């Protein structure tokens, strides 16, 4: 196969508003280094982390919710530490999700991998790096908002599925985040509360908790209640409803913000709280008496054991989980896709078609 020298991509030129995402048709096609594969990207998807990285929301200088400056950024205030692992280098091709086909391999990778359909593990440790170091596809290295991308061979997992590329691309970031939270909390046939349940991670968590036999209560808006019940939610609480005290064994929280103390109060004695997001705001008030008198366990969930993603691929191939795709946009319409994402009127994921 003859590969082009140039490719189309949406390029992030710095932290800030949507204007920092620039459409380019002259980006060099990357070459796979030793141990890497080159992927022709079929599809990607939009995630909170794409928006948060663009704006620099991960900076300690930022205290507001994720929508507070999602369209305009923070005017340079977060440049020094605006990404997962601190300062981000630019230009950067974002896109934490990727489904595509391996079209070339670097040294030390078997040529038999060429032609494989793959999903990219979105979060992993760098090769030879400290085990606490973190690489996020589309943040610390270029991601799926381009026609071609590279990644270490071990992080491109073969997938055998009748689903389309854009359906498959809805899984990696959201479902691996949810699966990582669930593997940390280890819920069984218990009472689980999921906040932000209509989003990509939240709706994934509903499915993944149900496959473990949990009784799932989803927090959402009335307009999305029926969709979440169709995914498996046993009960619905609306966002402004009072949370019953001591009613849940596990809370999977993606929201944080001002209501955080009531979320913690909703846990039973020896309950487990897991967070992997704070869309309503990262700064919360903790009453230590609630923590120690109820013997609670608080868990942060970002780094993932490699089995999280390999398990996820197995669930997909066996048809145990299904994609929740609200809308699909072309890559060159990424601005419009992120604007739709920020309205939060959708359920699940917004897909990005790259090929074609």
């Amino acid at each position: 196969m003859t590969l082009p020298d140039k490719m189309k991509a949406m390029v992030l030129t710095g932290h800030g508003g949507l204007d920092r995402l620039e459409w380019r048709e002259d980006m060099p096609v990357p070459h796979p280094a030793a141990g890497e594969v080159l992927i022709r990207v079929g599809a990607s998807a939009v995630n909170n982390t794409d928006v948060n990285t663009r704006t620099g929301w991960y900076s300690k200088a930022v205290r507001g919710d994720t929508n507070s400056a999602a369209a305009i950024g923070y005017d340079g205030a977060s440049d020094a530490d605006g990404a997962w692992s601190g300062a981000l280098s630019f230009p950067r091709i974002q896109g934490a999700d990727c489904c595509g086909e391996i079209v070339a391999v670097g040294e030390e990778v078997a040529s038999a991998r060429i032609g494989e359909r793959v999903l990219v593990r979105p979060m992993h440790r760098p090769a030879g790096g400290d085990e606490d170091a973190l690489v996020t596809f589309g943040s610390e290295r270029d991601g799926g908002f381009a026609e071609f991308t590279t990644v270490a061979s071990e992080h491109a997992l073969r997938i055998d599925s009748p689903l389309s590329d854009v359906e498959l691309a809805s899984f990696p970031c959201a479902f691996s985040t949810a699966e990582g939270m669930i593997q940390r909390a280890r819920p069984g046939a218990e009472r689980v509360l999921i906040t932000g349940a209509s989003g990509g991670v939240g709706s994934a968590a509903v499915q993944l908790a149900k496959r473990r036999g949990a009784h799932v209560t989803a927090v959402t808006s009335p307009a999305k209640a029926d969709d979440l019940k169709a995914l498996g939610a046993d009960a619905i609480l609306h966002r402004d409803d009072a949370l019953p005290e001591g009613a849940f064994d596990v809370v999977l929280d993606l929201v944080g913000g001002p209501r955080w103390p009531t979320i913690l109060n909703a846990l039973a004695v020896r309950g487990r709280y897991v967070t992997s997001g704070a869309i309503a705001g990262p700064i919360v008030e903790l009453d230590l008496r609630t923590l120690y008198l109820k013997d609670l366990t608080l868990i942060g969930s970002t780094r993932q054991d490699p089995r999280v993603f390999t398990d996820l691929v197995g669930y997909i191939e066996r048809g145990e989980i299904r994609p929740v795709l609200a809308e699909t946009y072309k890559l060159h319409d990424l601005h419009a896709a992120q604007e739709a994402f920020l309205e939060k009127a959708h359920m699940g994921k917004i897909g990005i078609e790259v090929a074609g």
Side-chain angles (χ1 to χ4, degrees), residues 152-231:
S153 178
E154 65 184 297
H155 301 312
L157 277 68
R158 181 171 181 168
I159 182 80
D160 181 11
S161 171
L163 296 174
S164 68
D165 284 354
V166 73
E167 288 173 321
L168 287 173
S170 70
F171 285 112
C173 184
F175 275 79
S176 65
T177 299
E179 179 70 7
M181 295 173 75
I182 286 171
Q183 290 195 13
R184 295 289 302 277
R186 302 185 304 278
E190 297 177 286
R191 302 162 298 169
V192 175
L193 177 71
I194 300 173
T195 67
S198 63
V201 179
S203 58
V206 170
Q207 293 191 60
L208 292 167
K210 283 302 297 181
R211 71 174 296 280
R212 288 167 165 85
H215 181 280
V216 173
T217 298
V219 181
T220 190
S221 62
K224 299 171 184 176
D226 289 343
D227 289 334
L228 282 166
K229 287 180 179 178
L231 278 183

Side-chain angles (χ1 to χ4, degrees), residues 52 59 83 138-139 144 150 188 194 201 218 221 249 255 292 321 333 350:
N52 295 344
S59 170
S139 179
T150 59
I194 300 173
V201 179
S221 62
D249 304 296
V255 174
Y292 75 77
I321 53 178
D333 293 326
I350 291 178

